[in-house]
Amino acid sequence: MTDLATKSGAEDAQADDSAVIDDAALTDADTDEVEADAADLAEADSDAESVTETEADADETGDLADVEEPAADERLVATTDVAPEADAPTEVVSPVADDAPATSAPAGAGPATPAYAWAPAEPAPRKSRKPLWIGLGAGAAVVAFAVASVTLIAPGTSVAGVQIGLLPSALAADMVNQRLADTTIVLVGEGGEAEVTGADLGASVDASSLVAEAFAANPLWNVTAWFPESIDAPVRIDDETATSALRAAAPELYTEPVDATLAYDATSVAYVTTPAEPGTGVDIAALRATLQDAFEAGETRVEFEAVSAPVQATTPTYVAEGAAARLNGILSTAGFYVGSERTVPVAREVAASWLTVTPGERGTFEISADAAAIEEIVAGLPAQVDRAAVDATVITNSAGDVLRELSEGVTGRTLGDTSSIADDFAAQLASGSGAYELPVTETEFKTTSLERRVEVDLSAQTTYLYENDKIIGTYTISSGMNATPTPTGHFTVNAYTRIQDMGALCYNPEAVNSYCTEDVPWITWFAPDIAFHGASAFRSALGFQQSHGCVNMWDADAKFIYDWTVTGTEVWVHA
């Protein structure tokens, strides 16, 4: 019975062990999945060392029964215990749940039942990242070269001898400017070896444009454009800056010029000048040429034999004369204008009293004007500017053409706001203009037209004067006799004679069939040798044909026609 019980117990234990092994097999499959996931996490730079640390802790305690679940990278493995001594109890560690009863093998019960313990799995080898980092470095180098090839200048490129190859444009321009600024000119001879730099002289080049030109023609990516010829760089020097620096460095090379002057002369009521006198100093043009050569040759230090040249005055003669001309122009035109009319003139001496002339920048002259003095004249402007409109009267022919303007039309005007005139005029005078346009409101005049014509009725021996188709005068006349008739037709007044002798005999004593009438007055000519004229001195009556062709009238009537008609007035003679 005992053997059977023991055997039965052993079989039950073996069955339990088989169950445990099956469970372990399932756990191994799950663990494989966990390991695969852990490997993926390792490729994503996750650190799996924490798992290993957990296994190590478990081994140190030696109590696998306390571990609730196996770690992802552990394996369930079987171990064979050495049979204990007869009197020593043997405890089998089982991977079952904590609440399952432990099973002890009795002494002498035969071979020991295999015990199982969790053992850490071997870590998966890490993947090598060296090819990745090599690939990334090579890619970055390619990108860097590509960027450089479109931003840097080709090797061997130079501007005026300054090497700018393999540089970005901004740095290249700075190098060109710096080289020029640092170039030193040593004055030899009378200058006593004084030294000035390009910066002292105000030297400059258009470095940005030159470098841009160099890059456009010689980019790094264009291998055929490598090592081109040097680009010339024209050097500029500021004359005023250079002269100041040279005068300070070598004063013995300079004699001071005398400036031109400008002043108001009350006697001539005009601005007059005195000419400038040039001094002597270093020839700036020659100095610039020396600096240019040194710069292009790549020399940073060069000697210059000082060459004497005239030094112009700060205020040259032409500047003073130009200012005088402008000021005298102000004096000649000073006044308040309405259109082109100088309505209120300002005397030259008065305008000069308003002006102040002072030295300006770079040898010029500045003009200012006293607004308060101008205001004294502004107060009286309305009385001199305001006026009423005056209508015009003109004489016309029947076609409406103006033959004469009897009275000229005058536009009415009223001065506008005067509150800012003084200040505005002062500012205008300072700019060189003496003609101030006044703000006015104008009123247009009306024009009256008088259409005038003369009618001579030979049948009635009467002359009629018409104005705008109304008869304004009727006069008895005497026309030409049948042998010397007055011509008929349409004529126009063409000339006037105040008084003269009429008849060929007056001028030629030998004239045949002629006459001579002296001192004929108020002659208005309208046809060849035919006119209206006075006849009071030699006619006792009118109203019938008795002339040599002219239209005879009493003197007073002839004078009225003489005054009333104008050249071009229409005359109609009919029977």
Side-chain angles (χ1 to χ4, degrees):
M1 287 292 292
T2 303
D3 293 336
L4 291 176
T6 304
K7 183 178 181 180
S8 175
E11 290 175 353
D12 291 340
Q14 185 175 359
D16 292 338
D17 291 340
S18 299
V20 170
I21 292 173
D22 290 341
D23 290 338
L26 292 176
T27 304
D28 286 343
D30 294 338
T31 303
D32 289 340
E33 293 179 0
V34 172
E35 288 176 347
D37 293 338
D40 291 339
L41 292 174
E43 291 180 2
D45 291 334
S46 298
D47 195 348
E49 293 180 357
S50 59
V51 176
T52 305
E53 292 173 357
T54 302
E55 295 174 357
D57 293 339
D59 290 340
E60 290 176 359
T61 58
D63 189 1
L64 295 179
D66 294 337
V67 180
E68 294 181 359
E69 293 182 0
D73 58 347
E74 291 178 335
R75 295 287 189 275
L76 184 64
V77 295
T79 59
T80 303
D81 293 338
V82 178
E85 294 180 1
D87 57 353
T90 300
E91 181 178 1
V92 179
V93 178
S94 176
V96 296
D98 290 343
D99 55 354
T103 303
S104 300
T113 302
Y116 295 89
W118 295 105
E122 295 182 0
R126 292 192 177 187
K127 294 182 179 181
S128 174
R129 298 180 181 176
K130 183 179 298 182
L132 173 61
W133 291 113
I134 292 175
L136 290 175
V142 170
V143 171
F145 179 78
V147 172
S149 68
V150 296
T151 59
L152 302 185
I153 302 169
T157 304
S158 63
V159 173
V162 181
Q163 293 296 324
I164 60 173
L166 301 178
L167 294 177
S169 296
L171 180 57
D174 289 343
M175 289 185 63
V176 173
N177 286 326
Q178 192 61 48
R179 168 72 69 81
L180 179 61
D182 293 342
T183 301
T184 301
I185 306 292
V186 180
L187 302 177
V188 297
E190 295 182 8
E193 296 191 358
E195 295 185 3
V196 290
T197 64
D200 297 333
L201 299 173
S204 64
V205 293
D206 191 358
S208 296
S209 296
L210 292 169
V211 169
E213 175 187 346
F215 176 73
N218 311 296
L220 176 62
W221 60 264
N222 186 358
V223 179
T224 62
W226 290 13
F227 300 97
E229 293 184 0
S230 182
I231 296 175
D232 293 336
V235 175
R236 298 183 296 271
I237 288 182
D238 182 79
D239 287 359
E240 185 175 339
T241 302
T243 299
S244 177
L246 292 167
R247 181 182 281 115
E252 63 275 12
L253 297 177
Y254 283 84
T255 59
E256 294 298 328
V258 177
D259 288 339
T261 61
L262 171 66
Y264 174 70
D265 179 42
T267 303
S268 60
V269 196
Y271 285 86
V272 296
T273 64
T274 56
E277 296 179 9
T280 58
V282 176
D283 188 339
I284 300 299
L287 179 66
R288 192 208 67 79
T290 299
L291 179 59
Q292 178 77 64
D293 293 341
F295 187 50
E296 293 180 353
E299 299 176 359
T300 58
R301 187 178 183 84
V302 64
E303 291 186 349
F304 173 70
E305 184 73 35
V307 180
S308 179
V311 175
Q312 295 299 324
T314 302
T315 304
T317 301
Y318 74 89
V319 171
E321 291 177 343
R326 186 166 62 254
L327 287 162
N328 289 327
I330 291 175
L331 302 186
S332 298
T333 60
F336 298 90
Y337 287 69
V338 175
S340 59
E341 174 195 337
R342 183 157 59 160
T343 307
V344 183
V346 176
R348 294 175 65 90
E349 60 275 12
V350 173
S353 70
W354 295 348
L355 304 177
T356 300
V357 181
T358 55
E361 295 181 356
R362 304 178 70 89
T364 60
F365 295 95
E366 292 184 355
I367 303 171
S368 59
D370 185 356
I374 298 173
E375 186 65 46
E376 296 177 7
I377 291 183
V378 172
L381 287 178
Q384 301 178 74
V385 174
D386 293 352
R387 70 185 182 195
V390 177
D391 292 341
T393 302
V394 297
I395 298 174
T396 69
N397 58 18
S398 59
D401 299 326
V402 176
L403 304 178
R404 178 185 293 176
E405 189 175 54
L406 291 181
S407 60
E408 182 181 0
V410 177
T411 302
R413 64 192 180 203
T414 303
L415 183 62
D417 182 17
T418 63
S419 60
S420 65
I421 289 180
D423 289 335
D424 293 345
F425 196 11
Q428 184 176 304
L429 289 169
S431 69
S433 175
Y436 185 83
E437 181 75 17
L438 289 171
V440 297
T441 300
E442 295 187 332
T443 304
E444 291 297 325
F445 59 83
K446 297 178 181 179
T447 299
T448 300
S449 298
L450 304 177
E451 179 198 341
R452 292 179 177 178
R453 54 190 170 87
V454 180
E455 179 183 351
V456 179
D457 186 347
L458 299 179
S459 299
Q461 289 292 293
T462 303
T463 291
Y464 304 96
L465 303 184
Y466 289 87
E467 186 174 270
N468 293 340
D469 291 330
K470 293 181 179 180
I471 296 176
I472 65 161
T474 302
Y475 306 102
T476 301
I477 64 168
S478 284
S479 62
M481 296 177 293
N482 290 336
T484 54
T486 300
T488 59
H490 292 275
F491 309 93
T492 57
V493 172
N494 57 70
Y496 295 88
T497 304
R498 167 64 183 83
I499 189 171
Q500 76 172 45
D501 298 338
M502 300 187 72
L505 192 59
C506 296
Y507 305 98
N508 182 8
E510 298 179 0
V512 179
N513 298 325
S514 184
Y515 67 97
C516 178
T517 304
E518 297 178 349
D519 298 330
V520 178
W522 311 115
I523 304 168
T524 301
W525 304 94
F526 64 88
D529 295 327
I530 302 297
F532 301 99
H533 62 75
S536 297
F538 52 87
R539 302 295 183 199
S540 58
L542 299 175
F544 55 91
Q545 295 175 267
Q546 57 178 325
S547 76
H548 291 87
C550 287
V551 178
N552 289 191
M553 308 179 72
W554 300 125
D555 287 358
D557 298 340
K559 181 181 184 303
F560 187 86
I561 288 182
Y562 182 95
D563 293 334
W564 184 79
T565 61
V566 296
T567 301
T569 300
E570 298 167 343
V571 179
W572 178 34
V573 181
H574 62 89

